[in-house]
Amino acid sequence: MDLTICPCRQTAAAQLSYAECCQPFIEGRAKAPTAEALMRSRYSAFAVGAIDYLVETVAPEARGDMDRASLDAWSRESKWHGLDIVDTVDGKAGDLTGIVEFVAHFSRAGARESHHERSTFRASPENGQWYFVDGGKPKGKTIVKGKQPERNDPCPCGSGKKYKKCCGMAA
């Protein structure tokens, strides 16, 4: 694997080498300073087969259901094409939690695929070490078409109640 450019593709403006970008985190010579940096280094760990790093950077309470053999197989059987960061919420140095939404691009068995996830991270208050907590499929954006009912309007569901006493209670 050519590592002149880090597998995580840090930014379009600054294509850092693996040695300058994720390798120090993966080899334990430095700690990822942000949730996004940890996410990028975890992607790179898949690309270079650093399964120990993937396990070590999962929050201890979330390691119970990890399948190391599956992680290793996914890492080895895939060709990794890059990572796109879609969104980050908090997760900076000094924060205790963060969210990173990303799309990981790879090929398996010759078929190009992508994995879109919104992941939660937390930092240890003692030493600032970031951990992956969990992840899942991002929720779709709510699409609002047309005028929305006001609080005292009849509920559009047809219940006969005011919107505020029916469907508007959840909002």
Side-chain angles (χ1 to χ4, degrees), residues 44-76:
S44 292
F46 273 108
V48 301
I51 307 307
D52 288 341
Y53 182 75
L54 292 169
V55 172
E56 291 163 6
T57 56
V58 170
E61 68 275 8
R63 291 180 190 163
D65 61 349
M66 289 187 70
D67 183 350
R68 187 182 180 89
S70 293
L71 290 173
D72 186 50
W74 190 21
S75 173
R76 280 184 294 101

Side-chain angles (χ1 to χ4, degrees), residues 59-153:
E61 68 275 8
R63 291 180 190 163
D65 61 349
M66 289 187 70
D67 183 350
R68 187 182 180 89
S70 293
L71 290 173
D72 186 50
W74 190 21
S75 173
R76 280 184 294 101
E77 296 168 5
S78 300
K79 180 177 180 187
W80 301 90
H81 303 293
L83 178 71
D84 295 324
I85 301 298
V86 176
D87 187 28
T88 58
V89 178
D90 299 328
K92 296 184 179 36
D95 289 340
L96 292 179
T97 61
I99 296 171
V100 180
E101 184 176 337
F102 65 92
V103 180
H105 303 280
F106 61 98
S107 297
R108 261 180 103 162
R112 189 107 183 192
E113 299 182 43
S114 62
H115 176 78
H116 188 177
E117 184 174 300
R118 190 163 178 90
S119 296
T120 305
F121 296 85
R122 73 168 169 76
S124 166
E126 293 83 35
N127 62 12
Q129 172 71 46
W130 281 98
Y131 293 99
F132 167 80
V133 177
D134 63 15
K137 189 172 176 88
K139 294 180 181 171
K141 304 254 189 245
T142 302
I143 299 173
V144 178
K145 294 182 180 181
K147 183 180 180 295
Q148 298 302 298
E150 298 291 326
R151 289 177 37 88
N152 291 316
D153 289 345

